[in-house]
Amino acid sequence: MTERTQPLLAADGTPLKRSIQRSLRRQKIEAFLLVAPLLAFVLVTFVAPIADMLFRSVENQIVAQTLPETAEALKAWDPERSEVPGEAVFAALAADMKTAVKNKTHTRLGSRLNYEKTGVASLFRKSGRRIKKWDLAEDAPFKEKFLDLDKKWGDPELWQLLKLYSPAYTSGYFLNAVDLKQTPAGFEPRAESEQIYILLFQRTLFMSLAITLMCLLLGYPVAFLLSHLPTRTSNLLMILVLLPFWTSLLVRTSAWKVLLQQEGVINDILVTIGFLGDADRLQLINNQTGTIVAMTHILLPFMILPLYSVMRTIPPSYVRAAKSLGANDLTAFAKVYFPQSVPGIGAGSILVFILAIGYYITPELVGGTTGTFISNRIAYHISSSLNWGLAAALGSILLVAVLVLYYAYDRIVGIDNVKLG
Amino acid sequence: MSLPVCATPLQRAWYYGFRVICGLIFFFLIAPILVIIPLSFNAQDFFTFTKEMLNFDPAGYSLKHYRDFFTNSDWQIAVRNSFKIAPAATLLSVAFGTLAAIGLSQPHVPFRRAIMAILISPMIVPLIISAAGMYFFYSRIGLQGQYIGVVLAHAALGIPFVIITVTATLVGFDKSLVRASANLGAGPMTTFFKIQMPLILPGVVSGGLFAFITSFDEVVVVLFVGSAGQKTLPWQMFTGLREQISPTILAVATILVAISIALLTTVELLRRRSERLRGVTPS
């Protein structure tokens, strides 16, 4: 045969290869069109807010916006020399402050800078009232007037701070979140009394690990028992695991609050059986004990369910084989059964740890001051101290930690293998 | 795991010991939830059993905390808000989620893994971070403190559950049924509503239940995205627990436990139905 074989043709006369490609492409587009509405929805309602928060952790327009000319004038000033800047900067400041006072934005800037250096808020408030009466044309030079007004204006540190926060983006919030601060000389640890975040991150990690460990210790035997009982019995007992899982989080937290109080059920029982005197009731709540106990209870089903689904797939004949080859119960468990249950341990532990590390409600209600997590601090900065940039920076660090764990979980378990109920 | 006939005393001890340990863990799981039920009928404003209650004296019990719940306007407004927000959020997440799950279960989806990761992320990202982000972002676009803002936020949180349950049902879905229906002349819409939808309905419903309970039980996001006008039941419980514990909370908690028992039963029945439909004997 010298002639080239004709390409295979589909029914409509187009080459089969192209026809398949076209239909494949159409399938892809169809599938994507089904997913697209949801993807757009999640991007707008969920991903964009998170991105916005990440942006807030480095955004810092407030100095440049409130005091634009001062920020410009400060560019020429060398913070290393630790001198108060010259008249030009003060003149710019006077002009900026007058506008700021008119727009009432100077107090906001003051309270923002107060996060970095205490006393700035009151300085700005106080100066604002006086500067309002100044005349920009006649009252020059301003340097003396500012120093008369308050000698804090003669503090080089204040000017270093202003210069540091003049650019539109800052690493200041992130540094603050890890207890560092930026000085002209570089990064420095904050004063010891201000170092709270590293400790808080450590505590969050430590308590999440403790909770994960407790869940594993309590969940393993239960999952083991459930996977070995006849189906009928295990389904019945499973209800005892699923009921807490389905019960409102706030119900469970209030239950623990009621149980653990000093006048609560557990202390009452201990007093009644004579284990404790009425005077020395245990402090079980508003501390780490409260958080660990309540969260172990809340997250335990998240450990039991993955463990159970893995253990159900372990063939019992392996353990029997090990025993018939002369292994005793303990060896058979340690060498044969346990290694096969490790995937379940990994899945359950990562899941519990991810959920624990970001918990807010339970630590807030039963944690007191020593049992709170980083989440509680983030909430505090959003709703009480209004230091949103710092809240965003703390949140970003937490988010990165969770995403790393999420990636690990996806690798080990596969995110679409999550089972519910 | 039955006890061998020729078990040594040590094995026997371990066998029963292990069961006792497991019993204690089950007790730990269930007791806190059960304890609050009798306490909610306390005639006193105490959080512990009074002498009268322990002696089963009828005077020790009363329905006054329930009466307070049903007459107090704060609680009633909160209940109404919860029942306004949760169904709307559920509807949104089920509608979008089911479509997307069907799309994702097709054999050729570009960037399947990445899309899945994004869609599941609302379940994984700590609530406080979602809440903070939504608070900032929704304030910018004027949705903060609005009913619609809370609904959108809760819908986003419910979506992973719908995706997971519906995808799980679709795994066992026989594609040839769709082809057969198309072969017999049904259009895509008819095929979807007459063939596919009834078969994946159990998954959709249980996904919807998850989405509903997520919204109904959610407090962190609503605290930040909502304002006093969107105060939900969990919000009222949360502030109640934080500021002053009123015993009414125990009555509310008991009602919620009853609701969760009902939900648990529903989901279990749905699961069995779906397994039966797939030809698996229900376990």
Side-chain angles (χ1 to χ4, degrees), chain B residues 3-277:
Chain B
L3 193 61
V5 193
C6 53
T8 61
L10 192 69
Q11 276 176 327
R12 203 172 287 272
W14 172 243
Y15 177 83
Y16 290 110
F18 184 72
R19 262 141 220 258
V20 170
I21 294 172
C22 287
L24 288 174
I25 299 169
F26 281 121
F27 180 76
F28 169 74
L29 271 169
I30 209 81
I33 298 169
L34 295 186
V35 161
I36 55 172
I37 296 175
L39 280 177
S40 71
F41 296 101
N42 200 335
Q44 308 287 324
D45 286 352
F46 293 151
F47 286 109
T48 188
F49 293 97
T50 56
K51 279 212 176 60
E52 292 83 25
M53 293 180 85
L54 291 174
N55 295 334
F56 295 104
D57 182 354
Y61 294 88
S62 102
L63 286 172
K64 67 174 198 173
H65 303 314
Y66 290 87
R67 214 170 301 134
D68 184 44
F69 171 67
F70 284 108
T71 51
N72 187 323
S73 65
D74 274 348
W75 284 106
Q76 287 309 305
I77 290 172
V79 170
R80 229 167 296 144
N81 276 331
S82 275
F83 276 108
K84 262 195 263 172
I85 290 167
T90 307
L91 207 66
L92 273 179
S93 28
V94 169
F96 284 122
T98 308
L99 268 189
I102 291 171
L104 281 170
S105 70
Q106 311 216 336
H108 309 287
V109 190
F111 311 112
R112 186 170 189 283
R113 230 182 143 74
I115 291 175
M116 202 68 177
I118 291 175
L119 297 184
I120 303 288
S121 61
M123 192 171 81
I124 299 295
V125 172
L127 277 172
I128 192 72
I129 294 176
S130 318
M134 286 170 173
Y135 172 69
F136 296 138
F137 186 72
Y138 288 16
S139 310
R140 276 184 211 240
I141 56 177
L143 285 178
Q144 202 273 330
Q146 305 283 323
Y147 170 72
I148 181 84
V150 180
V151 168
L152 290 179
H154 277 185
L157 295 181
I159 277 165
F161 297 100
V162 180
I163 293 279
I164 288 174
T165 49
V166 179
T167 319
T169 333
L170 283 167
V171 168
F173 183 75
D174 189 353
K175 283 266 158 48
S176 54
L177 292 175
V178 173
R179 281 199 295 274
S181 153
N183 211 9
L184 292 168
M189 278 311 212
T190 323
T191 309
F192 177 73
F193 282 108
K194 294 260 171 183
I195 307 293
Q196 204 164 12
M197 196 61 194
L199 282 171
I200 63 168
L201 198 62
V204 176
V205 173
S206 68
L209 275 178
F210 270 108
F212 184 84
I213 205 87
T214 306
S215 168
F216 198 75
D217 194 28
E218 203 288 322
V219 51
V220 188
V221 167
V222 78
L223 276 175
F224 285 93
V225 176
S227 65
Q230 289 86 41
K231 190 162 74 176
T232 57
L233 194 56
W235 175 331
Q236 180 71 21
M237 288 183 84
F238 179 71
T239 44
L241 278 171
R242 192 160 57 169
E243 276 141 30
Q244 87 305 344
I245 331 186
S246 109
T248 311
I249 286 182
L250 295 185
V252 183
T254 306
I255 295 173
L256 288 179
V257 170
I259 295 179
S260 32
I261 291 176
L263 280 176
L264 173 61
T265 319
T266 319
V267 172
E268 187 60 21
L269 290 178
L270 282 171
R271 194 179 63 85
R272 287 182 186 203
R273 189 186 119 94
S274 110
E275 280 184 357
R276 207 170 45 239
L277 282 179

Side-chain angles (χ1 to χ4, degrees), chain A residues 24 27-28 31-32 34-35 37-39 41-42 44-50 52-53 56 218 221-222 224-226 228-229 231 235 237 239-252 254-259 261 263-265 268 293 296-297 300-301 304 312 329 354 358 360-361 364-365 375 378-379 382 388 395 398-399 402 406 410-411 415-416 418 420, chain B residues 1 11 18-19 22 25-26 28-30 32-33 35-36 39 47-49 92 96-97 99-100 102-104 106-110 112-113 115-126 128-130 132-138 140 152 155-156 159 161 163-165 210 213 217 219-220 224 234 237-238 241-242 245 249-250 253 256-257 260-261 263-264 267 272 283:
Chain A
L24 202 64
Q27 269 184 17
K28 271 189 186 176
F32 190 75
L34 285 170
V35 181
L38 181 68
L39 199 58
F41 182 80
V42 171
V44 171
T45 57
F46 185 77
V47 178
I50 302 269
D52 184 43
M53 188 203 72
R56 255 177 211 275
L218 297 181
V222 167
F224 184 83
L225 182 74
L226 285 175
H228 282 77
L229 285 175
T231 322
N235 269 351
L237 284 176
I239 293 175
L240 301 181
V241 178
L242 289 177
L243 183 62
F245 181 73
W246 275 96
T247 306
S248 161
L249 173 64
L250 280 155
V251 169
R252 286 180 280 169
S254 35
W256 281 110
K257 197 148 177 158
V258 166
L259 286 174
Q261 282 186 64
E263 300 297 318
V265 176
D268 270 3
V293 171
T296 303
H297 178 250
L300 189 49
I304 295 178
R312 280 238 309 205
D329 289 348
I354 289 180
Y360 167 68
I361 292 296
E364 181 78 16
L365 291 173
S375 296
I378 297 174
I382 295 171
W388 290 351
L398 180 61
L399 182 64
V402 169
Y406 178 36
D410 192 24
R411 273 289 134 116
I415 197 65
D416 17 358
V418 185
L420 300 161
Chain B
M1 199 173 67
Q11 276 176 327
F18 184 72
R19 262 141 220 258
C22 287
I25 299 169
F26 281 121
F28 169 74
L29 271 169
I30 209 81
I33 298 169
V35 161
I36 55 172
L39 280 177
F47 286 109
T48 188
F49 293 97
L92 273 179
F96 284 122
L99 268 189
I102 291 171
L104 281 170
Q106 311 216 336
H108 309 287
V109 190
R112 186 170 189 283
R113 230 182 143 74
I115 291 175
M116 202 68 177
I118 291 175
L119 297 184
I120 303 288
S121 61
M123 192 171 81
I124 299 295
V125 172
I128 192 72
I129 294 176
S130 318
M134 286 170 173
Y135 172 69
F136 296 138
F137 186 72
Y138 288 16
R140 276 184 211 240
L152 290 179
I159 277 165
F161 297 100
I163 293 279
I164 288 174
T165 49
F210 270 108
I213 205 87
D217 194 28
V219 51
V220 188
F224 285 93
M237 288 183 84
F238 179 71
L241 278 171
R242 192 160 57 169
I245 331 186
I249 286 182
L250 295 185
L256 288 179
V257 170
S260 32
I261 291 176
L263 280 176
L264 173 61
V267 172
R272 287 182 186 203
S283 55

